[in-house]
Structures are given as structure tokens and as C-alpha cells.
């Protein structure tokens, strides 16, 4: 930015997040301008569809269908990217940074896959890239990891970082509804997309934990190396059995530092009732950070136009402060290491195993034999009342064992004539 009193902002994408950002800027404009002693102007907004209704109207003269008009406008100082995805956003953001503009984005996929490259471009161009809204919506976790927590030796970051899946699991837990029924309710309330694959299969959470791990452990992270498993195979009986054992069921994004390696995974877990994340319900998000010196829980709205918009406006304010005090780019890429990612097969934990099998004499013995031959010992067994000769779900809780051994036992169990299905949920220890 030049040394002047007007800061011009361009917005790419005028959907939920773009609208939320502009709404907050309009509402807080006078207060922000008074504090920063500048004038803020929304100079241009790009969107491919200006015909659909929105809760906020903007003057026709600042509208455009072409995102490149925003990026290439020499008068625009700050670009807010709110369209999502990697292409063409990577090209748009790169171009803006190369021109020395500040870019603010809540795009978790872009940051997870291309964040390192973009931060290098920002450094070489004396520009800045902010992405607080990319993880946790309104939860200030990115700035915390890049700022106040930079002096901590962080050991793990565990989060409920997807509101859709947390809402679905909450519905299944509180109302004992099926996965399909809970998902439909989420869609009816606008919490889930018509095609919810990114959420329910764990892709969204994988992007977010890749970002958090890179910041917490100062290491480059390839998102493809994050083990990922969704919630689509869960049934209400899984959650009820978990409750009997003192657990709740959550989809967690998990990053742990083990010596000089990382453990990165997204999957359903049995979480003890006393864990800080166990009582996080609905669309709320929460992130638990454990270091050698402290344990912190960040909790708040994980999505929505105003929650993410407030994170973006916070980034805008910080960007203007940096410009005023001529300290742009003071926090660049912190991924200075290349730590190994441990394969999921090396994980050691307890497992809750659900096996759909025929209720016939000797069925428990046959299944237990396969566990034993794989070196998996059992802690608890539950066989609900059923009709002899019919299929029934049998639950097993194992002692701690290696993932590789557990999967080997399931492979053999699935081959038994009396077994139709076998599914395992990992147990996460308390904080």
C-alpha cells in the first residue's frame, strides 16, 4: 500500500463468507477507521452470479463478474479471496501477491495444498498472506499458533474442526437417529451441502489438520499423507455402546509429534467423557492444544458467514496495522522442517470393534480365536439380545494393540462364514 488515507479492498466471491465479511466491515467501519486512522473502502466485488438474492446489497458500480478485475486493479490494496478450491484461486492469489497486495483467504484447501508456495511468493514480493478463517471459522487458532504459542514445544493438536459432522454425530447421540436421518436434518438446516462428501468423508478436516500440524510442528505437511476416514459407516448402536463404556463418538482431526515424526489422521474416535472436546455439540468447533507447559482449548463457531467474516476482518485490521507501522511480512512461512509422517499401521491404541454375525453356537469363540491369533487381546464383549440364527451386532473392546495387528484380525474375521461385516473405531485417550 502507498502512504495514503484510503485503504481499498477487493472481494472475490460474494457467497456466504464474502457477504459476511462485507457486512461486518460496513457495521464496524466507523470504529475501525477511528482506531486505525484510515478510510476503508470496498472498491470492487467479483462474483459469477449477481442475479441471486443476498441479505446484503452492494452498489452496481462496484460489481464485476471477472475476478481478475479485482486482482489486477492497481488501486486495490487488500484482496479477500472467498471462492474456495485450488484453481483458479491459486493463480488469482499468486498474481495478487506478486503485485505486492495483501491477500486474505479462508480457503483451507488452498492453504493446505499450496500455502508454502504462496508464502514464498509473498516473501519475495514484500506482500502478506493471512488465513485465520481457514481453520475453525471464528476461532483464533492460526494467529495463536503463529504468535503467542510459537515459544511452546507443542506435542499435539486435536480438533473437532467440521461442524457438519459434529452436528450429525450430535443428532445420532441425542436422538438415536440413523446417519442418513441425521444428515438429512443437517441439510434441512443448511449445515450440510446437498452433496456432503467433503465433510462426511473427512476431506475438509484433513485440510485443516494439515494446516494446524504445519504451524504447530514447523514442518511441511503433504495433505495426501493425512490418514482419512469419514463417519458414513457409524450407526446409533456404536454411540450407545460407547456411552456404556464412558465414551462419546466424535470425528477428530489429530496431529501428534512423536520424537521426530508426525502422526496425522482424521477418523471417528471413542473419546472419554472427561476430555475437553467430549462435550462439544452441534455445529460448534473446538481445538485442543497440548504442549510441554500447558493445555489449551479453543472453542467457538466453526463456520458461517459472520464467524468466518469476523476472522477475515481481524486479518484486514492486522494487515492495515502492519502497513502503517511498515512491518509487513514479519511472520512468514514457519515450516522449516520436513518431518516424517508415520503410517497409520504403526498406531497403537484401543479399538471398539463391531461385528455383524449370525447368532449361532460358537460364534464368539470363532471370532475371539481370530483376534487371539493376530495378537489382539480383548477387554470387553457385548452381545445384545437377538434371535437365534439371525444376524446381530456384537461389540468388542480391545486392549491397546497395533493397528496393523487389528486390521489383520479383521481381515480374517471377515472371511468367517458366520460374519457379514466388521468395523473398527479407534479410541483416543484423555487430554
Amino acid at each position: 500500500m502507498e502512504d495514503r488515507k484510503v485503504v481499498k479492498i477487493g472481494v472475490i466471491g460474494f457467497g456466504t463468507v464474502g457477504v459476511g465479511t462485507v457486512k461486518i466491515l460496513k457495521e464496524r467501519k466507523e470504529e475501525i477507521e477511528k482506531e486505525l486512522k484510515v478510510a476503508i473502502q470496498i472498491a470492487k466485488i467479483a462474483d459469477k452470479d449477481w442475479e441471486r438474492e443476498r441479505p446484503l446489497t452492494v452498489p452496481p458500480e462496484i460489481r464485476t463478474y471477472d475476478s481478475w478485475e479485482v486482482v489486477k486493479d492497481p488501486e486495490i490494496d487488500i484482496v479477500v479471496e472467498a471462492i474456495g478450491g485450488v484453481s483458479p484461486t491459486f493463480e488469482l492469489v499468486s498474481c495478487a501477491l506478486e503485485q505486492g497486495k495483501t491477500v486474505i483467504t479462508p480457503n483451507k484447501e488452498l492453504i493446505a495444498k499450496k500455502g508454502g508456495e504462496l508464502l514464498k511468493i509473498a516473501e519475495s514480493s514484500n506482500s502478506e498472506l493471512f488465513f485465520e478463517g481457514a481453520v475453525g471459522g471464528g476461532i483464533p487458532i492460526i494467529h495463536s499458533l503463529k504468535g503467542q504459542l510459537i515459544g511452546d514445544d507443542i506435542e499435539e493438536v486435536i480438533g473437532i474442526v467440521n461442524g457438519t459432522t459434529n452436528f450429525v454425530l450430535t443428532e445420532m447421540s441425542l436422538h438415536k437417529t440413523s446417519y442418513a436421518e441425521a444428515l438429512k436434518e443437517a441439510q434441512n438446516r443448511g449445515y450440510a451441502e446437498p452433496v456432503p462428501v467433503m465433510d462426511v468423508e473427512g476431506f475438509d478436516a484433513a485440510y485443516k489438520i494439515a494446516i494446524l500440524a504445519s504451524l504447530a510442528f514447523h514442518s511441511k505437511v503433504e495433505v495426501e499423507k493425512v490418514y482419512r476416514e469419514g463417519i458414513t459407516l457409524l450407526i446409533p448402536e456404536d454411540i450407545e455402546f460407547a456411552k456404556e463404556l464412558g465414551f462419546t463418538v466424535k470425528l477428530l482431526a489429530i496431529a501428534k509429534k512423536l520424537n521426530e515424526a508426525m502422526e496425522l489422521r482424521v477418523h471417528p474416535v471413542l473419546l472419554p467423557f472427561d476430555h475437553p472436546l467430549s462435550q462439544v455439540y452441534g455445529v460448534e468447533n473446538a481445538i485442543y492444544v497440548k504442549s510441554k507447559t500447558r493445555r489449551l482449548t479453543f472453542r467457538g463457531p466453526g463456520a458461517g458467514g459472520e464467524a468466518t467474516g469476523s476472522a477475515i476482518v481481524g486479518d484486514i485490521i492486522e494487515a492495515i496495522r502492519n502497513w502503517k507501522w511498515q512491518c509487513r511480512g514479519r511472520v512468514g512461512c514457519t515450516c522449516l522442517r520436513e518431518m516424517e509422517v508415520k503410517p497409520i499401521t504403526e498406531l497403537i491404541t484401543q479399538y471398539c470393534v463391531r461385528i455383524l454375525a449370525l447368532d449361532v453356537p460358537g460364534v464368539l469363540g470363532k471370532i475371539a480365536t481370530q483376534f487371539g491369533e493376530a495378537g489382539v487381546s480383548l477387554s470387553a464383549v457385548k452381545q445384545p439380545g437377538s434371535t437365534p440364527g439371525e444376524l446381530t451386532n456384537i461389540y468388542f473392546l480391545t486392549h491397546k494393540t497395533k493397528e496393523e495387528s487389528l486390521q489383520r484380525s479383521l481381515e480374517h474375521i471377515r472371511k468367517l462364514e458366520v460374519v457379514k461385516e466388521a468395523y473398527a473405531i479407534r479410541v483416543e485417550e484423555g487430554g
Side-chain angles (χ1 to χ4, degrees):
M1 300 176 207
E2 300 169 6
D3 187 10
R4 55 187 178 185
K5 294 183 179 180
V6 180
V7 176
K8 294 189 177 182
I9 300 169
V11 179
I12 302 173
F14 204 50
T16 301
V17 172
V19 169
T21 301
V22 173
K23 180 175 181 290
I24 293 171
L25 277 173
K26 285 179 174 290
E27 291 173 348
R28 295 200 56 213
K29 186 174 187 293
E30 184 177 343
E31 180 183 347
I32 294 170
E33 290 180 335
K34 184 176 181 180
E35 178 187 344
L36 300 178
K37 297 180 175 59
V38 297
I40 296 173
Q41 179 185 342
I42 305 294
K44 197 165 291 185
I45 302 174
D47 196 90
K48 62 182 180 181
D49 180 9
W50 282 107
E51 283 64 51
R52 65 189 175 95
E53 291 187 13
R54 293 173 172 85
L56 182 70
T57 57
V58 294
E61 59 267 23
I62 70 169
R63 302 178 190 174
T64 179
Y65 290 93
D66 186 0
S67 298
W68 289 102
E69 279 191 38
V70 175
V71 169
K72 294 183 177 181
D73 187 334
E75 295 294 311
I76 288 177
D77 306 295
I78 298 174
V79 174
V80 175
E81 181 276 305
I83 56 177
V86 175
S87 181
T89 49
F90 176 72
E91 291 78 13
L92 289 163
V93 170
S94 297
C95 182
L97 292 172
E98 286 166 354
Q99 295 177 75
K101 300 181 188 298
T102 294
V103 176
I104 297 166
T105 176
N107 189 339
K108 63 265 183 182
E109 183 179 6
L110 177 68
I111 298 301
K113 293 181 177 179
K114 298 288 188 178
E117 292 178 55
L118 292 172
L119 286 166
K120 286 181 180 178
I121 293 171
E123 183 178 2
S124 63
S125 305
N126 193 31
S127 51
E128 290 192 296
L129 176 68
F130 293 91
F131 48 94
E132 183 62 63
V135 181
I139 301 173
I141 185 64
I142 303 297
H143 279 71
S144 297
L145 289 173
K146 295 184 78 169
Q148 185 60 39
L149 294 176
I150 196 73
D152 278 30
D153 185 0
I154 296 176
E155 298 173 337
E156 62 183 61
V157 179
I158 300 177
I160 295 171
V161 293
N162 184 271
T164 299
T165 51
N166 202 48
F167 177 84
V168 169
L169 293 177
T170 298
E171 287 291 297
M172 292 175 69
S173 176
L174 298 182
H175 306 299
K176 300 182 182 180
T177 58
S178 69
Y179 163 76
E181 291 170 324
L183 176 60
K184 184 65 176 175
E185 180 64 21
Q187 291 170 326
N188 290 341
R189 296 197 190 189
Y191 298 150
E193 299 290 338
V195 181
V197 174
M198 294 298 291
D199 295 318
V200 300
E201 293 293 357
F203 289 98
D204 176 82
Y207 297 146
K208 292 172 179 175
I209 200 62
I211 295 169
L212 294 178
S214 68
L215 296 174
F217 307 142
H218 312 295
S219 175
K220 296 176 183 177
V221 173
E222 295 177 37
V223 71
E224 295 79 10
K225 292 186 178 180
V226 177
Y227 175 82
R228 177 188 52 78
E229 188 180 307
I231 65 170
T232 58
L233 297 178
L234 291 168
I235 61 175
E237 289 83 352
D238 299 338
I239 296 172
E240 291 306 303
F241 181 61
K243 287 179 182 177
E244 292 178 16
L245 298 172
F247 297 98
T248 186
V249 177
K250 297 292 185 184
L251 180 78
L252 290 190
I254 298 168
K256 295 184 179 182
K257 183 173 66 174
L258 305 170
N259 297 321
E260 290 304 307
M262 294 181 290
E263 195 176 272
L264 305 175
R265 46 196 171 94
V266 171
H267 53 75
V269 305
L270 266 64
L271 193 65
F273 286 152
D274 61 357
H275 193 282
L277 302 184
S278 68
Q279 304 303 312
V280 178
Y281 297 115
V283 294
E284 194 173 27
N285 279 197
I287 299 162
Y288 172 75
V289 180
K290 176 183 176 183
S291 74
K292 289 187 175 180
T293 56
R294 48 185 165 174
R295 288 161 173 75
L296 302 170
T297 302
F298 298 79
R299 182 170 176 172
E306 294 201 22
T308 306
S310 86
I312 291 172
V313 171
D315 282 343
I316 289 171
I317 291 170
E318 182 171 355
I320 295 172
R321 284 174 176 161
N322 288 353
W323 161 68
K324 286 195 66 177
W325 291 101
Q326 298 181 0
C327 58
R328 300 180 77 207
R330 60 190 178 86
V331 182
C333 183
T334 59
C335 301
L336 307 176
R337 310 165 72 186
E338 293 192 26
M339 296 172 66
E340 174 191 356
V341 177
K342 296 186 69 173
I344 191 68
T345 51
E346 294 185 18
L347 176 66
I348 297 176
T349 190
Q350 285 183 280
Y351 296 82
C352 171
V353 181
R354 180 207 338 133
I355 296 176
L356 181 61
L358 290 172
D359 183 1
V360 294
V363 63
L364 284 176
K366 291 178 181 179
I367 294 170
T369 296
Q370 298 305 320
F371 278 125
E373 290 182 354
V376 178
S377 62
L378 300 175
S379 171
V381 179
K382 179 184 178 182
Q383 184 176 9
S386 59
T387 304
E390 297 293 325
L391 288 168
T392 185
N393 283 315
I394 307 171
Y395 284 90
F396 300 84
L397 183 67
T398 75
H399 287 292
K400 280 190 176 183
T401 191
K402 200 171 185 180
E403 174 94 14
E404 187 176 32
S405 300
L406 188 281
Q407 294 300 337
R408 186 168 63 251
S409 70
L410 294 185
E411 182 182 345
H412 292 297
I413 288 170
R414 292 186 182 106
K415 293 177 181 177
L416 295 173
E417 289 185 7
V418 293
V419 172
K420 186 176 180 181
E421 295 174 3
Y423 174 65
I425 310 171
R426 298 164 187 88
V427 176
E428 183 63 26
E429 295 182 345

